[in-house]
Amino acid sequence: MTSDLLHEGETMRLLLVEDDEMLGHGVQAGLAQAGFAVDWVKDGEAAELFLGAEEYDLLILDLGLPRRDGMEVLRNLRNAGKDLPVLILTARDAVEDRVQGLDSGADDYLIKPFDLDELGARVRALLRRRGGRAMPVIRHGEIELDPASHTVTQAGRVVDISPREFALLQELLENRGRVLSRSQLERSLYSWKDEVDSNAVEVHIHHLRKKLGSDLIRTVRGVGYVIDKVR
Ligand code: CA
Protein backbone atom coordinates (compact mmCIF):
# COMPACT_ATOMS: atom_id res chain seq x y z
CA MET A 1 0.00 0.00 0.00
CA THR A 2 1.43 3.36 -1.00
CA SER A 3 0.23 5.09 2.14
CA ASP A 4 2.37 2.73 4.24
CA LEU A 5 5.46 3.99 2.47
CA LEU A 6 4.45 7.60 2.90
CA HIS A 7 3.73 7.10 6.57
CA GLU A 8 6.83 5.08 7.36
CA GLY A 9 8.57 6.41 10.41
CA GLU A 10 5.58 8.32 11.70
CA THR A 11 4.08 7.77 15.09
CA MET A 12 1.56 4.94 15.00
CA ARG A 13 -2.08 6.02 14.86
CA LEU A 14 -4.55 3.82 16.70
CA LEU A 15 -8.33 3.78 16.76
CA LEU A 16 -9.89 2.71 20.05
CA VAL A 17 -13.55 1.67 20.05
CA GLU A 18 -14.87 1.31 23.58
CA ASP A 19 -18.19 2.43 25.08
CA ASP A 20 -17.08 2.12 28.70
CA GLU A 21 -16.05 5.67 29.69
CA MET A 22 -13.60 4.76 32.42
CA LEU A 23 -11.90 2.00 30.50
CA GLY A 24 -11.77 4.15 27.35
CA HIS A 25 -10.15 7.04 29.19
CA GLY A 26 -7.63 4.75 30.84
CA VAL A 27 -6.65 2.99 27.61
CA GLN A 28 -6.38 6.22 25.63
CA ALA A 29 -4.24 7.89 28.29
CA GLY A 30 -2.05 4.80 28.74
CA LEU A 31 -1.38 4.39 25.04
CA ALA A 32 -0.77 8.11 24.56
CA GLN A 33 1.76 7.88 27.37
CA ALA A 34 3.40 5.03 25.46
CA GLY A 35 3.79 7.36 22.48
CA PHE A 36 0.85 6.37 20.27
CA ALA A 37 -1.62 8.83 18.75
CA VAL A 38 -5.02 7.46 19.78
CA ASP A 39 -8.48 8.41 18.51
CA TRP A 40 -11.31 7.11 20.69
CA VAL A 41 -14.91 6.51 19.61
CA LYS A 42 -17.71 4.94 21.63
CA ASP A 43 -19.98 3.10 19.21
CA GLY A 44 -19.82 0.88 16.15
CA GLU A 45 -21.16 3.43 13.69
CA ALA A 46 -18.62 6.06 14.71
CA ALA A 47 -15.93 3.39 14.41
CA GLU A 48 -16.83 2.73 10.76
CA LEU A 49 -16.98 6.46 10.06
CA PHE A 50 -13.48 7.00 11.43
CA LEU A 51 -12.10 3.87 9.75
CA GLY A 52 -13.39 5.18 6.45
CA ALA A 53 -11.95 8.66 6.92
CA GLU A 54 -8.51 8.08 8.45
CA GLU A 55 -5.63 5.65 7.90
CA TYR A 56 -5.02 3.77 11.14
CA ASP A 57 -2.15 1.44 11.93
CA LEU A 58 -4.15 -0.64 14.37
CA LEU A 59 -7.69 -1.04 15.74
CA ILE A 60 -8.58 -1.85 19.34
CA LEU A 61 -12.16 -3.04 19.27
CA ASP A 62 -14.60 -3.75 22.09
CA LEU A 63 -17.20 -6.29 20.95
CA GLY A 64 -20.24 -5.21 22.97
CA LEU A 65 -20.97 -1.79 21.47
CA PRO A 66 -24.02 0.43 21.00
CA ARG A 67 -25.40 1.17 17.50
CA ARG A 68 -23.32 -1.49 15.76
CA ASP A 69 -21.85 -4.64 17.28
CA GLY A 70 -18.05 -4.92 17.33
CA MET A 71 -18.19 -8.25 15.50
CA GLU A 72 -20.13 -6.61 12.67
CA VAL A 73 -17.60 -3.75 12.51
CA LEU A 74 -14.83 -6.35 12.25
CA ARG A 75 -16.57 -8.32 9.50
CA ASN A 76 -17.36 -5.19 7.50
CA LEU A 77 -13.75 -4.07 7.82
CA ARG A 78 -12.36 -7.38 6.51
CA ASN A 79 -15.02 -7.60 3.80
CA ALA A 80 -13.90 -4.16 2.64
CA GLY A 81 -10.39 -5.60 2.25
CA LYS A 82 -8.81 -3.58 5.05
CA ASP A 83 -5.99 -5.52 6.63
CA LEU A 84 -4.92 -3.39 9.59
CA PRO A 85 -4.24 -5.39 12.77
CA VAL A 86 -7.25 -5.72 15.07
CA LEU A 87 -7.09 -6.46 18.77
CA ILE A 88 -10.46 -7.28 20.31
CA LEU A 89 -11.48 -6.68 23.93
CA THR A 90 -13.80 -9.30 25.41
CA ALA A 91 -15.33 -10.34 28.70
CA ARG A 92 -13.79 -13.21 30.66
CA ASP A 93 -16.68 -15.60 30.15
CA ALA A 94 -17.10 -14.89 26.44
CA VAL A 95 -15.06 -17.77 24.98
CA GLU A 96 -17.35 -18.01 21.95
CA ASP A 97 -16.84 -14.30 21.24
CA ARG A 98 -13.09 -14.74 21.21
CA VAL A 99 -13.27 -17.73 18.87
CA GLN A 100 -15.73 -15.95 16.60
CA GLY A 101 -13.64 -12.78 16.71
CA LEU A 102 -10.46 -14.56 15.71
CA ASP A 103 -12.35 -16.45 13.00
CA SER A 104 -13.71 -13.13 11.73
CA GLY A 105 -10.25 -11.70 11.23
CA ALA A 106 -9.09 -10.35 14.60
CA ASP A 107 -5.35 -10.75 15.18
CA ASP A 108 -5.33 -10.93 18.96
CA TYR A 109 -7.58 -10.43 21.96
CA LEU A 110 -7.40 -9.25 25.56
CA ILE A 111 -9.76 -10.27 28.33
CA LYS A 112 -11.18 -7.51 30.54
CA PRO A 113 -9.95 -6.37 32.97
CA PHE A 114 -6.44 -6.19 31.54
CA ASP A 115 -3.18 -4.55 32.43
CA LEU A 116 -2.29 -1.44 30.43
CA ASP A 117 1.33 -2.54 30.12
CA GLU A 118 0.18 -5.83 28.61
CA LEU A 119 -2.05 -3.96 26.16
CA GLY A 120 0.93 -1.80 25.15
CA ALA A 121 3.09 -4.88 24.65
CA ARG A 122 0.42 -6.65 22.54
CA VAL A 123 -0.02 -3.53 20.41
CA ARG A 124 3.72 -3.25 19.79
CA ALA A 125 3.91 -6.97 18.94
CA LEU A 126 1.07 -6.65 16.41
CA LEU A 127 2.64 -3.57 14.83
CA ARG A 128 6.03 -5.33 14.62
CA ARG A 129 4.53 -8.39 13.01
CA ARG A 130 2.72 -6.20 10.52
CA GLY A 131 5.81 -4.19 9.71
CA GLY A 132 7.73 -7.43 9.33
CA ARG A 133 10.54 -5.95 11.36
CA ALA A 134 11.61 -5.81 14.94
CA MET A 135 11.77 -2.23 16.18
CA PRO A 136 15.50 -1.74 16.28
CA VAL A 137 17.35 0.70 18.48
CA ILE A 138 18.24 3.83 16.50
CA ARG A 139 21.82 5.01 17.01
CA HIS A 140 22.98 8.48 16.14
CA GLY A 141 26.42 9.45 17.41
CA GLU A 142 26.23 9.14 21.17
CA ILE A 143 22.44 9.09 21.15
CA GLU A 144 20.44 5.86 21.28
CA LEU A 145 16.66 5.73 20.98
CA ASP A 146 14.88 2.49 21.85
CA PRO A 147 11.31 2.39 20.48
CA ALA A 148 10.43 -0.74 22.48
CA SER A 149 11.35 0.57 25.93
CA HIS A 150 10.74 4.20 24.99
CA THR A 151 14.06 5.34 26.34
CA VAL A 152 16.71 7.69 25.05
CA THR A 153 20.30 7.54 26.21
CA GLN A 154 23.23 9.81 25.46
CA ALA A 155 26.72 8.43 25.98
CA GLY A 156 25.08 5.62 27.94
CA ARG A 157 23.13 7.89 30.29
CA VAL A 158 19.33 7.91 30.30
CA VAL A 159 17.91 11.26 29.18
CA ASP A 160 14.66 12.40 30.82
CA ILE A 161 12.32 12.97 27.92
CA SER A 162 8.54 13.51 27.57
CA PRO A 163 6.40 11.25 25.32
CA ARG A 164 5.93 14.01 22.75
CA GLU A 165 9.61 14.90 22.71
CA PHE A 166 10.29 11.20 22.22
CA ALA A 167 7.85 10.98 19.29
CA LEU A 168 9.38 14.04 17.68
CA LEU A 169 12.94 12.80 18.12
CA GLN A 170 12.04 9.36 16.75
CA GLU A 171 10.41 10.96 13.72
CA LEU A 172 13.46 13.08 13.00
CA LEU A 173 15.90 10.21 13.56
CA GLU A 174 13.96 7.82 11.33
CA ASN A 175 14.07 10.44 8.59
CA ARG A 176 17.68 11.55 8.99
CA GLY A 177 18.84 13.77 6.16
CA ARG A 178 15.25 14.70 5.23
CA VAL A 179 13.81 18.06 6.18
CA LEU A 180 10.42 17.61 7.88
CA SER A 181 7.94 20.47 7.87
CA ARG A 182 6.25 21.66 11.03
CA SER A 183 2.91 20.21 9.90
CA GLN A 184 4.50 16.82 9.16
CA LEU A 185 5.92 16.83 12.66
CA GLU A 186 2.62 17.98 14.17
CA ARG A 187 0.80 15.12 12.51
CA SER A 188 3.10 12.67 14.21
CA LEU A 189 2.48 14.24 17.61
CA TYR A 190 -1.24 14.65 17.87
CA SER A 191 -4.31 12.58 17.39
CA TRP A 192 -7.18 13.83 15.31
CA LYS A 193 -9.09 15.65 18.03
CA ASP A 194 -6.24 17.28 19.91
CA GLU A 195 -5.88 21.02 19.97
CA VAL A 196 -2.50 21.83 18.51
CA ASP A 197 -0.62 24.79 19.94
CA SER A 198 0.74 26.74 17.00
CA ASN A 199 4.22 26.73 18.50
CA ALA A 200 4.14 23.25 20.09
CA VAL A 201 6.74 21.79 17.73
CA GLU A 202 9.11 24.72 18.34
CA VAL A 203 8.76 24.27 22.09
CA HIS A 204 9.52 20.54 21.93
CA ILE A 205 12.49 21.16 19.62
CA HIS A 206 13.76 23.77 22.07
CA HIS A 207 13.58 21.23 24.92
CA LEU A 208 15.25 18.52 22.85
CA ARG A 209 18.12 20.87 22.03
CA LYS A 210 18.55 21.76 25.69
CA LYS A 211 18.63 18.08 26.65
CA LEU A 212 20.65 16.63 23.77
CA GLY A 213 22.76 19.47 22.45
CA SER A 214 22.00 22.56 20.41
CA ASP A 215 23.52 21.25 17.17
CA LEU A 216 21.51 17.98 16.96
CA ILE A 217 18.44 19.38 15.22
CA ARG A 218 19.02 21.89 12.45
CA THR A 219 16.41 24.51 11.55
CA VAL A 220 15.92 24.99 7.83
CA ARG A 221 14.43 28.45 7.70
CA GLY A 222 10.96 28.55 6.19
CA VAL A 223 10.96 24.78 5.57
CA GLY A 224 11.28 22.79 8.79
CA TYR A 225 13.71 20.73 10.81
CA VAL A 226 16.26 18.03 10.07
CA ILE A 227 18.73 15.80 11.87
CA ASP A 228 21.68 15.45 9.52
CA LYS A 229 23.22 12.05 8.91
CA VAL A 230 26.38 11.35 10.89
CA ARG A 231 29.34 11.61 8.52
CA1 CA B 1 -18.83 -2.60 25.79
Side-chain angles (χ1 to χ4, degrees):
M1 229 158 55
T2 337
S3 59
D4 280 341
L5 291 174
L6 291 173
H7 292 173
E8 194 181 26
E10 285 189 359
T11 299
M12 295 295 170
R13 299 178 69 80
L14 277 44
L15 181 65
L16 166 67
V17 191
E18 172 59 67
D19 60 319
D20 182 302
E21 288 281 339
M22 233 169 61
L23 184 59
H25 270 296
V27 168
Q28 188 182 36
L31 290 174
Q33 186 68 30
F36 297 106
V38 185
D39 288 335
W40 172 28
V41 294
K42 298 167 192 173
D43 67 72
E45 275 183 21
E48 294 197 338
L49 210 66
F50 273 62
L51 286 166
E54 223 3 85
E55 285 283 331
Y56 290 101
D57 298 296
L58 184 135
L59 172 65
I60 299 171
L61 182 66
D62 180 30
L63 291 181
L65 288 170
R67 299 169 79 96
R68 190 162 303 153
D69 186 64
M71 206 72 82
E72 199 184 331
V73 173
L74 177 59
R75 281 198 207 100
N76 290 345
L77 185 78
R78 294 309 189 212
N79 285 342
K82 297 223 181 186
D83 63 349
L84 76 165
V86 177
L87 190 151
I88 52 176
L89 306 175
T90 74
R92 181 162 301 279
D93 53 1
V95 182
E96 276 179 28
D97 278 0
R98 295 201 284 282
V99 173
Q100 208 188 339
L102 293 170
D103 282 346
S104 301
D107 299 277
D108 199 1
Y109 65 85
L110 265 179
I111 297 167
K112 298 177 184 182
F114 49 82
D115 184 90
L116 276 182
D117 288 338
E118 182 176 5
L119 175 63
R122 298 276 184 110
V123 164
R124 281 191 290 273
L126 285 174
L127 291 170
R128 266 202 305 276
R129 237 181 282 161
R130 172 178 174 76
R133 64 190 167 108
M135 292 202 284
V137 171
I138 302 170
R139 292 192 175 78
H140 182 82
E142 291 191 319
I143 296 167
E144 284 190 14
L145 179 146
D146 184 349
S149 66
H150 244 258
T151 52
V152 174
T153 60
Q154 188 170 32
R157 288 174 54 186
V158 175
V159 180
D160 184 25
I161 202 164
S162 77
R164 280 185 176 160
E165 287 162 13
F166 185 94
L168 202 59
L169 181 63
Q170 183 175 1
E171 183 77 2
L172 286 163
L173 284 174
E174 284 180 342
N175 291 285
R176 265 168 292 186
R178 261 182 64 200
V179 181
L180 301 178
S181 70
R182 195 173 76 183
S183 57
Q184 277 175 309
L185 290 169
E186 272 169 0
R187 193 180 180 281
S188 75
L189 287 183
Y190 297 96
S191 63
W192 188 74
K193 284 180 290 194
D194 284 340
E195 288 275 335
V196 179
D197 271 344
S198 59
N199 64 349
V201 167
E202 281 86 339
V203 171
H204 293 312
I205 297 270
H206 173 74
H207 288 150
L208 284 170
R209 282 174 173 153
K210 273 178 86 169
K211 291 173 183 180
L212 297 166
S214 57
D215 53 356
L216 174 65
I217 301 165
R218 192 161 59 80
T219 302
V220 181
R221 203 172 276 277
V223 186
Y225 299 94
V226 61
I227 291 181
D228 291 306
K229 293 179 179 167
V230 179
R231 273 164 292 174

